[in-house]
Short mmCIF file of all heavy atoms in Angstrom, two decimals:
data_model
loop_
_atom_site.label_atom_id
_atom_site.label_comp_id
_atom_site.label_asym_id
_atom_site.label_seq_id
_atom_site.Cartn_x
_atom_site.Cartn_y
_atom_site.Cartn_z
N GLY D 44 -86.36 181.99 -0.28
CA GLY D 44 -86.23 183.42 0.02
C GLY D 44 -87.57 184.10 -0.39
O GLY D 44 -88.62 183.66 0.01
N GLY D 45 -87.40 185.18 -1.13
CA GLY D 45 -88.57 185.99 -1.45
C GLY D 45 -89.72 185.28 -2.12
O GLY D 45 -90.86 185.51 -1.77
N ARG D 48 -91.58 183.07 0.42
CA ARG D 48 -92.26 183.95 1.38
C ARG D 48 -93.50 184.61 0.72
O ARG D 48 -94.54 184.80 1.37
CB ARG D 48 -91.29 184.98 1.91
CG ARG D 48 -91.79 185.90 3.07
CD ARG D 48 -92.38 185.12 4.20
NE ARG D 48 -93.72 185.52 4.45
CZ ARG D 48 -94.61 184.96 5.23
NH1 ARG D 48 -94.29 183.97 6.03
NH2 ARG D 48 -95.79 185.42 5.38
N TRP D 377 -96.52 191.12 8.77
CA TRP D 377 -95.43 192.10 8.72
C TRP D 377 -95.67 193.37 9.34
O TRP D 377 -94.86 194.30 9.41
CB TRP D 377 -94.93 192.22 7.29
CG TRP D 377 -94.31 190.97 6.76
CD1 TRP D 377 -94.89 190.12 5.79
CD2 TRP D 377 -93.19 190.21 7.20
NE1 TRP D 377 -94.15 189.01 5.61
CE2 TRP D 377 -93.07 189.03 6.47
CE3 TRP D 377 -92.17 190.51 8.16
CZ2 TRP D 377 -92.02 188.15 6.66
CZ3 TRP D 377 -91.18 189.57 8.36
CH2 TRP D 377 -91.08 188.44 7.58
N VAL D 453 -80.84 192.92 4.34
CA VAL D 453 -81.08 191.49 4.55
C VAL D 453 -81.83 190.91 3.39
O VAL D 453 -82.86 191.43 2.90
CB VAL D 453 -81.87 191.21 5.82
CG1 VAL D 453 -81.08 191.42 7.04
CG2 VAL D 453 -83.13 192.09 5.91
N LYS D 454 -81.31 189.84 2.79
CA LYS D 454 -81.88 189.24 1.57
C LYS D 454 -80.87 188.14 1.16
O LYS D 454 -79.78 188.03 1.76
CB LYS D 454 -82.02 190.24 0.45
CG LYS D 454 -80.78 191.15 0.24
CD LYS D 454 -81.00 192.18 -0.80
CE LYS D 454 -81.86 193.34 -0.40
NZ LYS D 454 -83.13 193.32 -1.11
N ARG D 455 -81.21 187.29 0.26
CA ARG D 455 -80.21 186.30 -0.24
C ARG D 455 -78.96 186.96 -0.68
O ARG D 455 -78.98 188.11 -1.21
CB ARG D 455 -80.82 185.47 -1.37
CG ARG D 455 -81.84 184.41 -0.90
CD ARG D 455 -81.35 183.42 0.06
NE ARG D 455 -80.26 182.60 -0.47
CZ ARG D 455 -80.49 181.38 -1.07
NH1 ARG D 455 -81.69 180.91 -1.14
NH2 ARG D 455 -79.46 180.70 -1.53
N LYS D 460 -77.51 191.76 -6.12
CA LYS D 460 -78.12 192.52 -5.02
C LYS D 460 -77.03 193.48 -4.43
O LYS D 460 -77.38 194.32 -3.58
CB LYS D 460 -78.63 191.60 -3.94
CG LYS D 460 -79.84 190.81 -4.41
CD LYS D 460 -80.34 189.81 -3.36
CE LYS D 460 -81.51 188.96 -3.78
NZ LYS D 460 -82.84 189.60 -3.62
N TYR D 536 -80.14 184.27 8.85
CA TYR D 536 -81.28 185.06 8.54
C TYR D 536 -82.42 184.25 8.01
O TYR D 536 -82.26 183.49 7.11
CB TYR D 536 -80.86 186.12 7.47
CG TYR D 536 -82.07 186.94 7.00
CD1 TYR D 536 -82.80 187.66 7.88
CD2 TYR D 536 -82.36 186.92 5.61
CE1 TYR D 536 -83.88 188.39 7.45
CE2 TYR D 536 -83.48 187.67 5.18
CZ TYR D 536 -84.23 188.40 6.05
OH TYR D 536 -85.27 189.11 5.62
N ASN D 537 -83.58 184.39 8.66
CA ASN D 537 -84.75 183.65 8.26
C ASN D 537 -86.00 184.40 8.58
O ASN D 537 -85.91 185.58 9.00
CB ASN D 537 -84.83 182.24 8.88
CG ASN D 537 -84.89 182.24 10.40
OD1 ASN D 537 -85.10 183.36 10.98
ND2 ASN D 537 -84.76 181.09 10.99
N VAL D 538 -87.21 183.85 8.40
CA VAL D 538 -88.41 184.60 8.59
C VAL D 538 -88.56 185.13 10.02
O VAL D 538 -88.92 186.27 10.27
CB VAL D 538 -89.67 183.79 8.14
CG1 VAL D 538 -90.93 184.50 8.57
CG2 VAL D 538 -89.63 183.56 6.64
N ALA D 541 -86.34 187.93 10.48
CA ALA D 541 -86.87 189.08 9.76
C ALA D 541 -87.97 189.78 10.54
O ALA D 541 -88.10 191.05 10.46
CB ALA D 541 -87.42 188.63 8.39
N MET D 545 -87.20 193.80 10.46
CA MET D 545 -87.93 194.71 9.61
C MET D 545 -88.40 195.94 10.38
O MET D 545 -88.21 197.10 9.91
CB MET D 545 -89.17 194.09 8.95
CG MET D 545 -88.75 192.93 8.00
SD MET D 545 -87.71 193.53 6.68
CE MET D 545 -87.10 192.01 6.03
N GLN D 553 -81.80 198.73 -0.62
CA GLN D 553 -82.38 198.08 -1.78
C GLN D 553 -81.64 198.49 -3.05
O GLN D 553 -82.09 199.29 -3.82
CB GLN D 553 -83.91 198.38 -1.86
CG GLN D 553 -84.67 198.10 -0.61
CD GLN D 553 -84.65 196.69 -0.12
OE1 GLN D 553 -84.43 195.76 -0.88
NE2 GLN D 553 -84.82 196.48 1.19
N GLU D 560 -83.57 193.12 -10.18
CA GLU D 560 -84.45 192.65 -9.13
C GLU D 560 -85.90 192.76 -9.66
O GLU D 560 -86.34 193.90 -9.91
CB GLU D 560 -84.29 193.47 -7.85
CG GLU D 560 -85.03 192.97 -6.64
CD GLU D 560 -84.31 191.79 -5.97
OE1 GLU D 560 -84.60 190.65 -6.40
OE2 GLU D 560 -83.52 192.02 -5.11
N GLY D 563 -88.72 192.44 -5.44
CA GLY D 563 -88.35 192.58 -4.06
C GLY D 563 -89.61 192.61 -3.20
O GLY D 563 -90.63 193.09 -3.64
N THR D 564 -89.53 192.08 -1.99
CA THR D 564 -90.62 192.22 -1.02
C THR D 564 -90.07 192.68 0.30
O THR D 564 -90.84 193.26 1.10
CB THR D 564 -91.40 190.88 -0.86
OG1 THR D 564 -90.46 189.84 -0.63
CG2 THR D 564 -92.25 190.56 -2.08
N GLY D 565 -88.80 192.44 0.52
CA GLY D 565 -88.15 192.96 1.75
C GLY D 565 -88.32 194.47 1.76
O GLY D 565 -88.66 195.07 2.85
N ASN D 566 -88.15 195.12 0.61
CA ASN D 566 -88.30 196.52 0.56
C ASN D 566 -89.67 197.01 1.12
O ASN D 566 -89.73 198.04 1.76
CB ASN D 566 -88.07 197.05 -0.89
CG ASN D 566 -88.85 196.21 -1.96
OD1 ASN D 566 -89.53 195.30 -1.61
ND2 ASN D 566 -88.66 196.50 -3.23
N LYS D 568 -91.63 195.32 3.31
CA LYS D 568 -91.70 195.02 4.79
C LYS D 568 -91.06 196.18 5.58
O LYS D 568 -91.56 196.64 6.57
CB LYS D 568 -91.02 193.73 5.14
CG LYS D 568 -91.61 192.51 4.49
CD LYS D 568 -90.67 191.24 4.67
CE LYS D 568 -91.01 190.14 3.68
NZ LYS D 568 -89.90 189.15 3.56
C1 PLP P 801 -88.97 188.90 2.60
C2 PLP P 801 -87.90 187.94 2.70
C3 PLP P 801 -87.00 187.70 1.66
C4 PLP P 801 -87.06 188.50 0.35
O1 PLP P 801 -86.18 189.67 0.51
P1 PLP P 801 -85.83 190.55 -0.74
O2 PLP P 801 -85.13 191.72 -0.11
O3 PLP P 801 -87.07 190.94 -1.42
O4 PLP P 801 -84.90 189.75 -1.61
C5 PLP P 801 -85.99 186.76 1.78
N1 PLP P 801 -85.88 186.08 2.96
C6 PLP P 801 -86.73 186.27 4.01
C7 PLP P 801 -86.51 185.43 5.25
C8 PLP P 801 -87.77 187.16 3.91
O5 PLP P 801 -88.60 187.37 4.97
#
Side-chain angles (χ1 to χ4, degrees):
R48 185 53 238 172
W377 296 110
V453 285
K454 46 184 72 250
R455 286 299 297 266
K460 292 177 184 275
Y536 173 58
N537 62 9
V538 171
M545 298 302 166
Q553 308 300 335
E560 188 78 271
T564 49
N566 46 3
K568 299 169 197 164

